[in-house]
Amino acid sequence: MTPSNRPPLVKNNGLVLPFSEIRGLCVDEARRKIIGAGKKRLADITLYDLIIPDNHGIYFFFAPDGATCLYVGKNSSLQFVERMGSHFAVDQTSWHNHFLKYYKAQHKVASLIETAQAVADCRLLLMPVTSELISSAEKFFRVALSPVLNRRKARNPVCDDAKLEDAVENIA
């Protein structure tokens, strides 16, 4: 490929919703914005799609319908381009492929290779988040979005009218 017809490394790739765009919303509005956000089908994602300027934060795997959250994860040390690939390691001894392992167990798929093929129509959303909020944001979204595969129970219920940034910072 010549430089002129090479795909751009940074573009509007339809799978990024920065936390800064929802920070000031109430919890219910933020939840609706996440569910309504553009997501990309896993089978259609390229490595170039995962190379983004703000490369740490939260990521969401959604069912093919784009509305059912399956899994919420965080990447605070790896870049999105590194972390997403590790979820699709098809060796049972790999330790970062939680999404595949959880999906395999829930859907009783025979192997991780078959599971990787089964999730092709699932969707991905990336959310760049500042480093000081990554852990609490992941905990919060695992409560607020009730992902099917890695739901987290809250000690205190999430108030839909609360400001998102306050709810994230106060998650227990």
Side-chain angles (χ1 to χ4, degrees), residues 54-141:
D54 299 317
N55 53 35
H56 300 295
I58 308 301
Y59 53 90
F60 308 85
F61 288 107
F62 281 85
D65 65 10
T68 305
C69 186
L70 299 175
Y71 185 93
V72 175
K74 67 178 177 182
N75 64 307
S76 53
S77 59
L78 299 175
Q79 298 176 37
F80 283 119
V81 70
E82 298 169 297
R83 183 64 185 102
M84 293 306 99
S86 64
H87 267 293
F88 296 92
V90 293
D91 186 333
Q92 194 63 40
T93 62
S94 294
W95 61 281
H96 269 208
N97 56 352
H98 306 298
F99 172 63
L100 276 192
K101 286 179 181 173
Y102 295 166
Y103 192 96
K104 177 184 178 289
Q106 175 152 13
H107 295 276
K108 298 181 182 18
V109 182
S111 71
L112 287 174
I113 289 176
E114 290 176 44
T115 306
Q117 294 167 337
V119 300
D121 288 329
C122 290
R123 312 264 182 218
L124 177 66
L125 176 65
L126 306 177
M127 181 176 286
V129 177
T130 59
S131 58
E132 64 272 0
L133 286 180
I134 289 175
S135 287
S136 55
E138 186 229 9
K139 289 175 190 170
F140 172 79
F141 288 122

Side-chain angles (χ1 to χ4, degrees), residues 17-24 127-129 133 137 141 164-165 168:
L17 175 64
F19 183 76
S20 59
E21 288 187 19
I22 62 170
R23 175 176 218 139
M127 181 176 286
V129 177
L133 286 180
F141 288 122
L164 179 65
E165 62 189 326
V168 166

Side-chain angles (χ1 to χ4, degrees), residues 8-17 38 40 49 51-52:
L9 287 179
V10 176
K11 60 183 184 218
N12 182 354
N13 56 16
L15 61 91
V16 177
L17 175 64
K40 202 157 188 181
D49 291 322
I51 301 170
I52 62 173

